[in-house]
Amino acid sequence: MTDEPRDVVPALPCPRVPVRGGGSFPVHRIYCVGRNFADHAREMGAAAPASRAERGQPVLFLKPADAIVVDGQATYPPGTTDLQHEIELVVALGRDAPDGVLDRNTAQRLVYGYGLGLDLTRRDLQAAAKAKGLPWDTGKAFDQSAPVSELLPAGAVGELAARTLSLTVNGELRQQSRLDQFIWDVPDILIALSALYALRAGDLVFMGTPAGVAALHSGDRCVGRLDNLLELQCRIAPPRV
């Protein structure tokens, strides 16, 4: 009989998101969608498709699971002078996907529930990487870059297209859009992801942001809402020195 392998460094705890009504959601991966609202694509200098037939493929990227923030406070990150907010619908997967590319019905059945997230972005680093044709990781995948609200089971949210996503900063409305303005809806995105990754229970998907992204500063207070169903509060704490 052999001994169990010994960890040579302490194991870190699994990141978890609270669920309304009790319990927690252990996070496996965080997938993100870029340019999923036409107005935001245009404000970023990209072309927006005129029809579903012209959509092409969605822009996909990842954040580390331990980038989530659930206590309502994110620290202004190092290496940037242009931290920006992007309010997003977050999709939480409650089942493993079967092998192969999903169909729409199977994709929707994977969804456990929904939340709100802030895709915090070091815009200056992202812009520099884009200008050189390099990956966006330094602009997107940093510590505390993914504040997340509690999750609400999908049945309590109902039809997404009728819902409105919004963000205020220090009481000023910055972003607002109905979710029927998605270029790629939830099943579309899960289908695209399933062609590239093995989707698992515990995955979160940040669905993209509407127009109105702008700078955040130390002390700013963000409040994201999905109608009167979900609220995300986040304060930007001063940078560590």
Side-chain angles (χ1 to χ4, degrees):
M1 183 175 180
T2 59
D3 294 334
E4 290 293 323
R6 178 178 60 86
D7 292 337
V8 297
V9 296
L12 295 174
C14 176
R16 295 176 183 271
V17 177
V19 176
R20 186 178 300 177
S24 65
F25 183 92
V27 179
H28 174 239
R29 289 180 182 166
I30 302 175
Y31 299 100
C32 302
V33 186
R35 303 173 187 168
N36 201 18
F37 287 81
D39 56 1
H40 175 61
R42 287 189 290 266
E43 76 175 349
M44 291 291 101
S51 68
R52 289 182 65 87
E54 297 177 7
R55 293 181 306 170
Q57 294 296 314
V59 176
L60 304 171
F61 59 96
L62 286 83
K63 290 177 181 276
D66 63 0
I68 65 168
V69 174
V70 296
D71 66 358
Q73 181 158 288
T75 302
Y76 198 101
T80 184
T81 58
D82 190 14
L83 179 69
Q84 294 195 4
H85 57 75
E86 298 190 8
I87 187 65
E88 310 204 1
L89 178 76
V90 175
V91 181
L93 302 190
R95 301 181 184 181
D96 291 352
D99 292 338
V101 178
L102 297 170
D103 59 53
R104 288 186 64 83
N105 289 336
T106 304
Q108 190 61 51
R109 288 198 295 270
L110 299 183
V111 176
Y112 167 78
Y114 301 103
L116 294 173
L118 276 175
D119 171 14
L120 295 178
T121 301
R122 294 191 281 208
R123 190 71 71 199
D124 45 359
L125 301 190
Q126 183 195 29
K130 288 167 65 176
K132 296 177 181 179
L134 299 175
W136 299 356
D137 298 59
T138 57
K140 291 286 192 178
F142 53 92
D143 298 321
Q144 299 185 20
S145 62
V148 179
S149 73
E150 66 178 352
L151 299 178
L152 188 59
V157 176
E159 177 58 43
L160 287 177
R163 300 296 180 189
T164 297
L165 179 70
S166 64
L167 179 76
T168 61
V169 178
N170 302 326
E172 173 194 359
L173 182 64
R174 294 273 187 93
Q175 295 183 266
Q176 183 170 283
S177 179
R178 281 172 52 105
L179 296 184
D180 61 2
Q181 296 303 300
F182 278 142
I183 297 173
W184 293 273
D185 64 15
V186 172
D188 288 334
I189 292 300
L190 297 184
I191 290 167
L193 286 169
S194 73
L196 299 169
Y197 303 99
L199 298 177
R200 295 287 181 253
D203 288 343
L204 297 178
V205 183
F206 279 53
M207 284 291 296
T209 198
V213 301
L216 291 169
H217 304 93
S218 297
D220 282 350
R221 295 185 180 275
C222 304
V223 179
R225 291 189 175 88
L226 185 67
D227 291 335
N228 61 351
L229 292 176
L230 283 165
E231 182 176 282
L232 168 62
Q233 296 194 25
C234 183
R235 175 181 177 270
I236 305 301
R240 296 189 180 99
V241 293

